[in-house]
Amino acid sequence: DGSATLEREGRADTATVNLPLLHGDRLRTDAGRVELLLGDGSALYLDYHTQVDLQSDTLIRLMAGRVTLRVRGAEAGQEPARYLLDTPAGSVRTSDAGVYRVSLLTAERRVEVELAVVRGRAELVTSEGAMAVRAGERSVGHDGEKPSAPQAFNSARLDAFDQWAEPREEGVASTRSYQYLSPELQTYARTFDQHGNWAQMQPYGYVWYPSVAPGWRPYYNGYWNVVGRYGWTWIGSDPWAWPTHHFGRWGYSRTGTWFLRSRSGSARTV
């Protein structure tokens, strides 16, 4: 929503939809908001005037603004990823799946970090100690003092950023596409529902038909670009381009329409 800037290896460019990010990248928003999908199916939402540095798969440094982190639940036999959100005023360590709001604030000429746990459990850590924060609680900390004791807050009171992020956070498991996608791609289920339809086709089982204009074909809307060590990479412009072009297997039907193989039957996972 709006625009964002990606800084990589000393160069700043406009961030685009479906752009893959690398360790060491810096993402900045001005009058824009960003949804960043993480490798385990979790998601990070950036508000206006926010800057984050992507240090590793689970280490993110918040330098300005505020974010909401949605940590995906455990899959079969696996624990949820534990994320560390580092800031100049302190750090947030998640302990469980859930939703966590982290904000950098300026108060009395000092920078503070606020952690609000909507769901889940986390710790707010400063140079002077750590504070456990549970669902429905918030704590504030800054360098040189122990974080404040947790206080209850009303997580149902949503501002503009919360209203923007909430529809992206909730209800993925209730979508039709959820049952057809492999676990690492189920976070895209809402996008698949919005931009196409599933139907059965032998011998593949269920396949997905994108809602596209006549003449569309795979690798049609977008561009090729060099992305770090991965080399030439397709950056698609369609909202669903990343999962379909990097994890999918396209086919062409007798009726002259493109389809993507689904997980069921003898099909490969999307």
Side-chain angles (χ1 to χ4, degrees), residues 43 55 92 124 127 159 216 254:
Q55 302 292 316
V92 172
L124 181 58
S127 59
D159 61 14
W216 181 93
R254 294 178 180 177

PDB file of all heavy atoms in Angstrom, residues 43 55 92 124 127 159 216 254:
ATOM      1  N   ALA A  43       4.517 -13.669   9.084  1.00  0.00           N
ATOM      2  CA  ALA A  43       4.440 -12.433   8.307  1.00  0.00           C
ATOM      3  C   ALA A  43       4.796 -11.248   9.185  1.00  0.00           C
ATOM      4  O   ALA A  43       4.517 -11.238  10.390  1.00  0.00           O
ATOM      5  CB  ALA A  43       3.047 -12.247   7.716  1.00  0.00           C
ATOM      6  N   GLN A  55      18.362  -9.184   9.280  1.00  0.00           N
ATOM      7  CA  GLN A  55      19.659  -9.725   9.659  1.00  0.00           C
ATOM      8  C   GLN A  55      19.790 -11.217   9.349  1.00  0.00           C
ATOM      9  O   GLN A  55      20.850 -11.686   8.951  1.00  0.00           O
ATOM     10  CB  GLN A  55      19.892  -9.485  11.145  1.00  0.00           C
ATOM     11  CG  GLN A  55      19.827  -8.020  11.548  1.00  0.00           C
ATOM     12  CD  GLN A  55      20.978  -7.206  10.984  1.00  0.00           C
ATOM     13  OE1 GLN A  55      22.124  -7.647  11.008  1.00  0.00           O
ATOM     14  NE2 GLN A  55      20.682  -6.041  10.456  1.00  0.00           N
ATOM     15  N   VAL A  92      12.779  -7.742  21.520  1.00  0.00           N
ATOM     16  CA  VAL A  92      11.595  -8.559  21.755  1.00  0.00           C
ATOM     17  C   VAL A  92      11.909  -9.973  21.302  1.00  0.00           C
ATOM     18  O   VAL A  92      12.360 -10.196  20.170  1.00  0.00           O
ATOM     19  CB  VAL A  92      10.381  -8.012  20.981  1.00  0.00           C
ATOM     20  CG1 VAL A  92       9.204  -8.985  21.073  1.00  0.00           C
ATOM     21  CG2 VAL A  92       9.987  -6.644  21.514  1.00  0.00           C
ATOM     22  N   LEU A 124      10.260  -8.812  26.683  1.00  0.00           N
ATOM     23  CA  LEU A 124      10.880  -7.536  26.351  1.00  0.00           C
ATOM     24  C   LEU A 124      12.169  -7.437  27.150  1.00  0.00           C
ATOM     25  O   LEU A 124      12.143  -7.546  28.381  1.00  0.00           O
ATOM     26  CB  LEU A 124       9.934  -6.384  26.677  1.00  0.00           C
ATOM     27  CG  LEU A 124      10.452  -4.983  26.352  1.00  0.00           C
ATOM     28  CD1 LEU A 124      10.807  -4.846  24.883  1.00  0.00           C
ATOM     29  CD2 LEU A 124       9.432  -3.930  26.761  1.00  0.00           C
ATOM     30  N   SER A 127      18.998  -3.685  28.615  1.00  0.00           N
ATOM     31  CA  SER A 127      20.313  -3.934  29.220  1.00  0.00           C
ATOM     32  C   SER A 127      20.218  -4.229  30.710  1.00  0.00           C
ATOM     33  O   SER A 127      21.171  -4.732  31.309  1.00  0.00           O
ATOM     34  CB  SER A 127      21.229  -2.731  29.000  1.00  0.00           C
ATOM     35  OG  SER A 127      20.648  -1.556  29.574  1.00  0.00           O
ATOM     36  N   ASP A 159      -6.428   0.873  15.342  1.00  0.00           N
ATOM     37  CA  ASP A 159      -6.198   2.110  14.604  1.00  0.00           C
ATOM     38  C   ASP A 159      -6.059   1.758  13.121  1.00  0.00           C
ATOM     39  O   ASP A 159      -6.290   0.619  12.700  1.00  0.00           O
ATOM     40  CB  ASP A 159      -4.973   2.854  15.138  1.00  0.00           C
ATOM     41  CG  ASP A 159      -3.688   2.046  15.008  1.00  0.00           C
ATOM     42  OD1 ASP A 159      -3.677   1.035  14.278  1.00  0.00           O
ATOM     43  OD2 ASP A 159      -2.687   2.425  15.637  1.00  0.00           O
ATOM     44  N   TRP A 216      -3.112 -14.083 -21.541  1.00  0.00           N
ATOM     45  CA  TRP A 216      -2.132 -14.192 -20.461  1.00  0.00           C
ATOM     46  C   TRP A 216      -1.405 -15.534 -20.562  1.00  0.00           C
ATOM     47  O   TRP A 216      -1.962 -16.537 -20.993  1.00  0.00           O
ATOM     48  CB  TRP A 216      -2.814 -14.083 -19.100  1.00  0.00           C
ATOM     49  CG  TRP A 216      -1.850 -14.166 -17.946  1.00  0.00           C
ATOM     50  CD1 TRP A 216      -1.244 -13.139 -17.314  1.00  0.00           C
ATOM     51  CD2 TRP A 216      -1.387 -15.367 -17.299  1.00  0.00           C
ATOM     52  NE1 TRP A 216      -0.417 -13.612 -16.325  1.00  0.00           N
ATOM     53  CE2 TRP A 216      -0.483 -14.971 -16.291  1.00  0.00           C
ATOM     54  CE3 TRP A 216      -1.639 -16.728 -17.498  1.00  0.00           C
ATOM     55  CZ2 TRP A 216       0.157 -15.887 -15.471  1.00  0.00           C
ATOM     56  CZ3 TRP A 216      -0.985 -17.645 -16.681  1.00  0.00           C
ATOM     57  CH2 TRP A 216      -0.098 -17.226 -15.676  1.00  0.00           C
ATOM     58  N   ARG A 254      -7.151 -28.153 -22.649  1.00  0.00           N
ATOM     59  CA  ARG A 254      -7.675 -28.279 -24.011  1.00  0.00           C
ATOM     60  C   ARG A 254      -8.576 -27.107 -24.387  1.00  0.00           C
ATOM     61  O   ARG A 254      -8.804 -26.839 -25.567  1.00  0.00           O
ATOM     62  CB  ARG A 254      -8.453 -29.589 -24.146  1.00  0.00           C
ATOM     63  CG  ARG A 254      -7.577 -30.833 -24.013  1.00  0.00           C
ATOM     64  CD  ARG A 254      -8.409 -32.095 -24.118  1.00  0.00           C
ATOM     65  NE  ARG A 254      -7.574 -33.291 -23.989  1.00  0.00           N
ATOM     66  CZ  ARG A 254      -8.055 -34.529 -23.991  1.00  0.00           C
ATOM     67  NH1 ARG A 254      -9.372 -34.724 -24.122  1.00  0.00           N
ATOM     68  NH2 ARG A 254      -7.234 -35.554 -23.859  1.00  0.00           N
TER      69      ARG A 254
END
